[in-house]
Amino acid sequence: MHEAPVTIIGAGTSGLATAACLTKQSIPFIILERENCFASLWQNYTYDRVHLHLRKQLCELPHFPFPPSYPHYVPKKQFIEYLGNYVNNFNINPIYNRAVELAEYVDDDEKKWRVKAENKSSGEVEEYSARFLVVASGETAEPRVPVVEGLENFKGKVIHSTRYKNGKEFKDEHVLVVGSGNSGMEIALDLANFGAKPSIIVRSPVHILSRDMMYYGGVLLNYLSPSTVEKLVVIASRIVYGDLSKYGIPFPSEGPFTMKMKYGKFPVIDVGTVKKIKSGEIQVLPAEIESISGNQVLFRDGKSYPFDSIIFCTGFKRSTQKWLKGGDLLNEDGFPKPGLPYHWKGKNGFYCVGLTRRGFYGAKMDAQNVANDIAMLVPQHERN
């Protein structure tokens, strides 16, 4: 049995932020990570051209600003470098290759959280005990691929966006991109830049904004009401991009901030995709997939097209429902049941960080709240 006051599950950015905040409070912890590195999503499962979509000031982790030399929108390589410096600065030492199988509150004399995790190197199951449990396993724990009739018999390549690196291997191919969020839109752009012939499915209305619109919208929120800023951002988008419905991208009836708060749906941050759509280099398909036969994809509007490859940019599932017993804070989909600002704390020393679809900034706030709350409950003699 390995013991510490706090067990953190997940060494992604949320887990690292929590670890740093606990370190600042001199509170010992154990941090478990199922992959072989910290921030595995960024190191192993993101495409080459990805940058932070928001300016660096909104994406920095607690107590550690980005270097002044970094650009406004930090590229993948520099962000991983920043995270490596973060880990070293706070002396964070995750225990890697530990797949959590069970986390449950044991209501006995000790009243602690017990975690069972498989050591993927040895196959042995290890046990960890802590008064406090912090779930920081992330919103992107497991890739989600929808069930499609005939997909298993598709003759070309089928991957999730987590396995896409760049468009080099898809040159001259007809590629179907399923999903029109930020990853889908940017992967379609990358495919076009590498000489592929991408088509992207856009079924639901989506707001498309530029980086500057997002930035200046955030600045204006300091002076104007959210509803006023939302209207200004929508007007700016229509002026810059025009009516995109004639290209197959329907315009939403609700504003981008409203959709983010109500449905967790982010606006698309355009980095060149719209221009490719208008030029015809990226084809927009408006209908859902009905079925697949050979390399033919049949859509629900009755049309069918041949494709060489399919890339699913269809998001992720949480993993907590597989191993978390008790806690009573998260729903079946792995998100907090309470709304803001009471989402990060459950019963019996249970906490979650980075599960509110508010990005790095939200995780930063969660980590600081969790560490401050735990600090009020851990006596000095238990600290480092």
Side-chain angles (χ1 to χ4, degrees):
M1 181 74 74
H2 307 273
E3 293 198 46
V6 185
T7 297
I8 304 169
I9 298 178
T13 51
S14 296
L16 298 181
T18 305
C21 291
L22 290 172
T23 297
K24 293 284 281 187
Q25 302 271 12
S26 300
I27 298 171
F29 59 86
I30 290 172
I31 180 168
L32 304 175
E33 169 55 47
R34 69 179 181 180
E35 301 282 347
N36 63 357
C37 61
F38 61 84
S40 62
L41 180 68
W42 281 89
Q43 297 209 57
N44 298 337
Y45 303 113
T46 49
Y47 45 94
D48 295 343
R49 64 162 287 140
V50 71
H51 289 60
L52 298 179
H53 282 305
L54 301 178
R55 290 206 181 191
K56 61 184 180 182
Q57 293 87 345
L58 293 173
C59 300
E60 62 190 27
L61 301 191
H63 312 296
F64 203 73
F66 282 103
S69 60
Y70 276 32
H72 286 316
Y73 300 98
V74 180
K76 171 182 174 177
K77 183 177 179 181
Q78 283 185 301
F79 187 57
I80 293 171
E81 178 184 71
Y82 164 81
L83 294 176
N85 292 334
Y86 194 83
V87 166
N88 292 333
N89 183 74
F90 293 103
N91 194 28
I92 302 170
N93 295 292
I95 303 175
Y96 295 120
N97 297 305
R98 297 309 192 270
V100 173
E101 297 182 343
L102 177 67
E104 64 178 345
Y105 182 70
V106 181
D107 194 7
D108 56 14
D109 293 339
E110 289 190 335
K111 297 188 182 301
K112 289 187 176 181
W113 286 88
R114 296 273 177 87
V115 175
K116 293 184 178 181
E118 179 193 359
N119 181 331
K120 295 199 297 186
S121 299
S122 67
E124 296 178 354
V125 175
E126 303 167 346
E127 292 197 17
Y128 299 84
S129 175
R131 185 179 167 192
F132 307 100
L133 178 71
V134 181
V135 170
S137 48
E139 299 171 6
T140 56
E142 296 183 358
R144 188 182 75 84
V145 175
V147 176
V148 178
E149 181 185 342
L151 178 62
E152 68 278 5
N153 297 319
F154 180 70
K155 302 203 180 290
K157 187 172 188 176
V158 178
I159 61 172
H160 188 267
S161 60
T162 50
R163 290 175 53 204
Y164 179 88
K165 295 303 177 186
N166 59 61
K168 187 175 182 180
E169 65 179 291
F170 300 96
K171 189 178 189 306
D172 296 323
E173 286 191 9
H174 291 273
V175 183
L176 177 63
V177 179
V178 183
S180 56
N182 278 293
S183 293
M185 288 289 195
E186 191 164 6
I187 285 174
L189 170 65
D190 194 58
L191 287 164
N193 287 340
F194 274 93
K197 302 176 182 65
S199 298
I200 185 167
I201 296 175
V202 181
R203 292 190 298 112
S204 55
V206 60
H207 282 286
I208 296 184
L209 308 176
S210 69
R211 286 170 169 172
D212 283 345
M213 290 175 201
M214 286 292 292
Y215 172 69
Y216 288 110
V219 172
L220 287 173
L221 283 172
N222 295 315
Y223 307 98
L224 302 172
S225 69
S227 60
T228 300
V229 174
E230 186 170 61
K231 290 173 184 175
L232 291 172
V233 167
V234 169
I235 291 169
S237 176
R238 292 301 289 263
I239 291 171
V240 171
Y241 297 113
D243 180 10
L244 295 178
S245 61
K246 59 187 177 184
Y247 298 99
I249 302 174
F251 191 75
S253 59
E254 297 176 290
F257 304 157
T258 302
M259 292 179 70
K260 174 68 175 63
M261 293 300 295
K262 287 175 69 173
Y263 316 115
K265 185 168 183 176
F266 288 85
V268 168
I269 310 301
D270 178 56
V271 289
T273 307
V274 171
K275 184 178 179 181
K276 296 284 187 183
I277 289 172
K278 289 181 175 180
S279 71
E281 293 172 77
I282 298 173
Q283 180 183 19
V284 175
L285 301 175
E288 196 170 344
I289 297 175
E290 178 70 34
S291 63
I292 296 173
S293 178
N295 70 336
Q296 287 287 134
V297 179
L298 175 65
F299 293 86
R300 291 193 176 171
D301 61 2
K303 297 178 181 178
S304 69
Y305 304 91
F307 291 100
D308 301 299
S309 298
I310 302 175
I311 302 173
F312 283 96
C313 304
T314 43
F316 299 84
K317 299 180 287 187
R318 273 49 59 198
S319 63
T320 46
Q321 77 281 359
K322 293 183 176 181
W323 45 262
L324 180 63
K325 306 298 180 187
D328 198 35
L329 182 65
L330 306 180
N331 62 25
E332 290 183 359
D333 198 23
F335 290 114
K337 295 176 185 177
L340 302 175
Y342 308 108
H343 60 280
W344 51 271
K345 182 178 180 180
K347 299 176 181 177
N348 303 317
F350 179 83
Y351 302 90
C352 69
V353 173
L355 291 173
T356 57
R357 293 183 266 208
R358 294 192 302 155
F360 296 118
Y361 181 79
K364 177 181 178 179
M365 295 296 101
D366 290 349
Q368 291 172 325
N369 285 331
V370 168
N372 289 337
D373 197 70
I374 291 174
M376 291 191 292
L377 301 170
V378 175
Q380 286 297 326
H381 70 269
E382 292 185 22
R383 304 193 184 197
N384 289 327

